[in-house]
Amino acid sequence: MFEKILIANRGEIACRVIKTARRMGIKTVAVYSEADSRALHVEMADEAVAIGPPPASESYLVMERIIEAARQTGAGAIHPGYGFLSENAAFVEALSTENITFIGPNADAVRLMGDKISARDFAMEAGVNTVPGCSDVITGAKQAIGIAEDIGYPVMIKAAAGGGGKGMRIAHTAREVEEGFTSSMNEARASFGDDRVYIEKFVTSPRHIEIQVLADGHGNAIYLGERECSIQRRNQKVIEEAPSPFLDDKTREAMGAQAVALAKAASYQSAGTVEFIVDESRNFYFLEMNTRLQVEHPITELITGIDLVEQMIRIAAGEKLSLTQKDVSLKGWAMEGRIYAEDPYRSFLPSVGRLVRYHPPEERAGESLVVRNDTGVYEGGEISIYYDPMIAKLCTWSPDRMQAIDAMSDALDGFRIEGIRHNIPFLSAVMEHERFRAGTLTTNFIAEEYPSGFQGVALDSTRSKALAAVALFVTHIEMLRAQGIAVATGREEHVLTVRMDDEFHHGRIKPGSDGLHIFWREGDVGEQKNGVLVSSDWKPGMTIFEGKVGSDYLVVQMTRDITGSMTLTYRGTMIKAVVMTPGACELVDFVPREDSSGGGGFLLCPMPGLVVSIGVVEGQEVKAGEPLAVVEAMKMENILRAERDCTVSKIKCAPGDNLSVDDVMMELE
């Protein structure tokens, strides 16, 4: 077994590998760019080596610097994580010449499966079902349009060296093919150093289901069930679960058998994932094979009890698999939510900055509930523009799917992040969505359910009342504290009103030995019989309420602004609550409302990023929906379009400019 390994990666996956290595008694070496000098993975590792400037192309992607770091520290093996050099055959070969073990498959398998075109052809030869398409490398937009029209719309434009949703575009028209071809090439070049793309038929109403495989260097290969990865945005997975709510045993076994057959045909060794597109009739088609650890590997670990990182290390050390297919059993259900630094209320645009607060839910490992949070950040750390915007991978496990979903909802409610925008409200909303809970999923889920973007979740009357009760409970406790009355013995009643948007909830709060009894009132008339008991250990200063409102258990985040009003965050909803006395409530109608009308004569940069191109000139008339500019942020290209018919009066930036959020890019008339 190895005495010391180097992790050629950063962030949460580097921390994840370090944890397993530490448990196995293996020392670890971290590498870091200038932007990551104070990163969590650097702190966790036994040793750390600086490898260059912030851009990945000058640090994490420079194999010579990674190898030199291994030489300096005496690391006998390198775990690549995912992304960066994890699927680079030249890197595997370079390590071999240095007598450094690559914790992953051999170079031939990496090269074969890492090139999506050759992988597709090889899969066909191996008898694996494949999607109709053209494997030829496309050299121009005109050729791309011709191929797309021959195959028939919609089509998927894909990077030959792609992965992780980079360099992928769905196109329904010739115009979208032309735009997608250019963006796919640019993203592929930036992410993989390879701008080759190809086209295949896009299966409508598809599910994205993948099979986890393990193979050793002794001819043994098994599969560890499947993961459902259909909740995607821009071909990037957002929520995954294991197993799939759609597969039956027969389909699972057939997909598993094909995945294992492909791995054996490729002489594969290590952990790998064979991804399939599955249609409504459970017909499945090979999508690609990822010759590395997947981002979503924790949910497979949770339902199988198998540490995939440990298996990769043991296989790389020459050991045989200690498991056979009969030893693999799937227990319970697991969910994973990818928490990203992005603003779901602004088309999921990236957000960068300092994590002013970072308080994840407490990790647990019980017989009926597991909460796991794989992360590489900490409170006070920076989310950089240079790398993927993932903050953490929050996972839950329970005996059945509904329990796992509810556990994820509670964990998300208790996950507190401040200082940057994040997608937790969106993840919470999906967990609550009837279609998601029913398991009726496709890769079009987000586009179909949120066609105009995510605007939050409207509360029903029951939950609105429950949040109003929380606001009253919190305010009552704070008032007792302010009056110098001990909470435990306080018997003072309060009559208060909660205003949430344009809704008013009037309540009388009566302390009791079992909590606070809140009786709802209509105006100033007598008490209603529909009171509710609120019980919690909440104390002034706490930012999260955990407790029971009636028979329901709630986890609610709370922040106060300088006016004293509070913002309550629960199940994908952020709502402002103002608690007032009856006298103050009578004056509400006399308070002027805020003017919510905005300007509109400018194109503002929606995120910190690099201007890739400007698609218009001054004086040009454009129609709504036409592209104005392209901005790259966190390795993804974002096309900015005109929201209305207008004329470009002035362009205030140029390709190559680095812009901050809300910088003026153009003046529009």
Side-chain angles (χ1 to χ4, degrees):
M1 183 51 65
F2 309 112
E3 294 183 4
K4 182 187 294 186
I5 65 174
L6 180 147
I7 299 99
N9 218 295
R10 64 177 301 279
E12 56 86 16
I13 185 55
C15 297
R16 161 73 187 90
V17 175
I18 290 170
K19 288 179 181 179
T20 289
R22 181 183 294 162
R23 181 175 56 77
M24 296 176 70
I26 300 171
K27 292 183 178 179
T28 56
V29 179
V31 293
Y32 63 93
S33 71
E34 293 171 5
D36 281 338
S37 62
R38 300 177 63 186
L40 185 59
H41 74 284
V42 175
E43 179 183 330
M44 288 179 63
D46 296 296
E47 300 175 65
V49 180
I51 54 171
S57 60
E58 299 176 38
S59 52
Y60 295 105
L61 287 170
V62 183
M63 63 180 71
E64 293 81 5
R65 295 184 181 178
I66 303 292
I67 293 171
E68 180 57 30
R71 283 200 209 101
Q72 290 177 12
T73 57
I78 290 180
H79 195 299
Y82 40 71
F84 294 150
L85 297 172
S86 63
E87 294 178 288
N88 188 311
F91 182 55
V92 181
E93 291 171 335
L95 292 182
S96 179
T97 63
E98 296 286 338
N99 293 318
I100 300 172
T101 302
F102 180 72
I103 302 176
N106 60 67
D108 289 339
V110 172
R111 183 176 290 106
L112 175 64
M113 290 299 163
D115 186 302
K116 307 310 176 188
I117 295 175
S118 64
R120 185 176 182 278
D121 293 340
F122 184 82
M124 291 178 67
E125 294 174 5
V128 179
N129 305 343
T130 56
V131 179
C134 177
S135 298
D136 295 335
V137 175
I138 302 167
T139 57
K142 195 171 186 179
Q143 179 191 7
I145 293 171
I147 293 172
E149 292 179 347
D150 287 341
I151 296 173
Y153 295 108
V155 297
M156 175 78 83
I157 305 166
K158 303 176 68 176
K166 304 296 190 299
M168 296 175 64
R169 291 291 188 277
I170 299 170
H172 297 81
T173 65
R175 176 182 167 185
E176 290 181 0
V177 170
E178 184 174 7
E179 290 180 357
F181 171 75
T182 302
S183 291
S184 292
M185 285 187 65
N186 290 342
E187 283 185 7
R189 187 185 304 111
S191 297
F192 316 112
D194 183 344
D195 65 1
R196 293 173 303 139
V197 299
Y198 66 103
I199 291 180
E200 64 185 21
K201 180 70 176 175
F202 180 71
V203 179
T204 56
S205 299
R207 286 176 178 258
H208 186 135
I209 299 176
E210 58 192 29
I211 303 291
Q212 176 71 57
V213 296
L214 276 178
D216 62 23
H218 305 275
N220 303 304
I222 59 175
Y223 69 95
L224 307 182
E226 81 282 358
R227 296 183 289 256
E228 172 91 47
C229 308
S230 297
I231 306 298
Q232 303 180 6
R233 185 185 58 77
R234 290 185 64 177
N235 306 308
Q236 176 68 62
K237 300 164 190 173
V238 178
I239 294 171
E240 301 97 345
E241 61 182 293
S244 166
F246 183 62
L247 292 194
D248 53 24
D249 290 340
K250 181 180 178 181
T251 308
R252 177 178 296 112
E253 290 173 8
M255 292 175 70
Q258 287 201 13
V260 167
L262 182 63
K264 287 186 173 181
S267 299
Y268 194 85
Q269 57 190 52
S270 193
T273 300
V274 182
E275 303 196 355
F276 294 94
I277 288 294
V278 184
D279 69 16
E280 298 168 301
S281 302
R282 295 195 178 93
N283 299 307
F284 57 90
Y285 306 96
F286 173 77
L287 185 60
E288 62 186 11
M289 183 176 189
N290 288 310
T291 56
R292 53 171 169 79
L293 195 65
Q294 290 283 91
V295 174
E296 58 273 20
H297 75 274
I299 54 176
T300 293
E301 294 181 329
L302 289 173
I303 65 168
T304 63
I306 298 169
D307 186 323
L308 292 176
V309 173
E310 178 181 350
Q311 293 299 318
M312 293 180 74
I313 293 172
R314 293 191 179 281
I315 291 169
E319 296 184 14
K320 290 184 178 180
L321 281 176
S322 60
L323 301 163
T324 66
Q325 194 63 59
K326 291 182 180 179
D327 297 322
V328 179
S329 61
L330 309 184
K331 179 184 177 183
W333 217 283
M335 293 280 160
E336 176 177 292
R338 300 191 187 190
I339 298 175
Y340 285 113
E342 59 187 18
D343 189 347
Y345 300 100
R346 298 182 68 184
S347 302
F348 297 93
L349 294 172
S351 177
V352 298
R354 186 173 299 280
L355 287 165
V356 177
R357 284 185 183 270
Y358 179 74
H359 292 172
E362 181 183 358
E363 292 190 286
R364 305 176 185 178
E367 293 185 2
S368 60
L369 172 65
V370 175
V371 178
R372 169 175 168 176
N373 187 52
D374 285 14
T375 188
V377 303
Y378 57 88
E379 187 167 287
E382 288 277 346
I383 301 299
S384 169
I385 190 175
Y386 296 104
Y387 311 117
D388 187 274
M390 186 185 294
I391 297 172
K393 300 180 315 195
L394 181 63
C395 303
T396 56
W397 175 93
S398 281
D400 63 46
R401 187 170 185 266
M402 285 301 109
Q403 288 177 312
I405 292 173
D406 290 340
M408 176 62 77
S409 292
D410 288 339
L412 288 167
D413 283 340
F415 206 131
R416 189 170 181 82
I417 297 175
E418 292 181 18
I420 60 164
R421 299 290 186 178
H422 54 80
N423 68 334
I424 289 176
F426 175 72
L427 297 178
S428 295
V430 173
M431 288 296 134
E432 292 290 293
H433 201 290
E434 290 183 7
R435 178 177 163 188
F436 177 80
R437 296 177 75 87
T440 312
L441 313 177
T442 74
T443 56
N444 303 321
F445 178 91
I446 292 177
E448 292 172 352
E449 299 303 323
Y450 305 98
S452 301
F454 178 68
Q455 305 299 327
V457 177
L459 289 174
D460 59 28
S461 59
T462 300
R463 286 191 168 170
S464 180
K465 268 282 179 67
L467 289 185
V470 170
L472 289 177
F473 177 96
V474 167
T475 303
H476 175 83
I477 300 297
E478 289 175 335
M479 291 174 73
L480 292 182
R481 171 66 62 87
Q483 294 165 359
I485 300 173
V487 175
T489 59
R491 294 288 181 238
E492 182 169 329
E493 296 183 12
H494 286 117
V495 177
L496 298 168
T497 294
V498 185
R499 176 184 177 182
M500 300 194 311
D501 292 334
D502 290 324
E503 250 182 34
F504 291 82
H505 301 281
H506 310 277
R508 177 182 293 276
I509 305 106
K510 288 188 174 183
S513 60
D514 49 356
L516 294 183
H517 296 268
I518 298 175
F519 296 93
W520 300 115
R521 300 162 54 88
E522 293 182 1
D524 291 323
V525 300
E527 294 177 358
Q528 301 281 309
K529 292 183 179 180
N530 59 343
V532 64
L533 174 66
V534 183
S535 57
S536 171
D537 293 330
W538 186 90
K539 292 181 175 55
M542 291 183 176
T543 57
I544 294 179
F545 169 95
E546 290 188 62
K548 294 190 73 174
V549 178
S551 60
D552 295 329
Y553 174 77
L554 270 68
V555 180
V556 183
Q557 293 189 29
M558 300 173 297
T559 57
R560 283 197 183 275
D561 61 25
I562 58 175
T563 68
S565 64
M566 56 179 103
T567 298
L568 305 177
T569 303
Y570 174 74
R571 293 294 196 269
T573 299
M574 294 179 67
I575 191 164
K576 189 173 182 179
V578 180
V579 181
M580 61 193 84
T581 63
C585 185
E586 294 177 2
L587 302 176
V588 166
D589 290 338
F590 298 97
V591 178
R593 298 294 182 94
E594 293 182 5
D595 182 6
S596 61
S597 62
F602 303 97
L603 173 66
L604 304 180
C605 188
M607 77 215 85
L610 175 74
V611 179
V612 175
S613 63
I614 301 294
V616 293
V617 296
E618 291 183 358
Q620 181 176 335
E621 295 183 356
V622 294
K623 299 291 185 182
E626 289 187 6
L628 300 174
V630 177
V631 175
E632 179 188 301
M634 293 177 170
K635 301 190 291 185
M636 296 291 282
E637 287 198 354
N638 303 273
I639 300 175
L640 308 184
R641 302 178 184 276
E643 295 183 354
R644 55 183 172 80
D645 294 353
C646 59
T647 300
V648 179
S649 59
K650 191 169 184 179
I651 297 174
K652 308 193 73 171
C653 62
D657 287 353
N658 279 298
L659 302 181
S660 299
V661 64
D662 288 338
D663 278 355
V664 177
M665 299 180 68
M666 299 179 191
E667 294 181 7
L668 309 172
E669 296 178 352

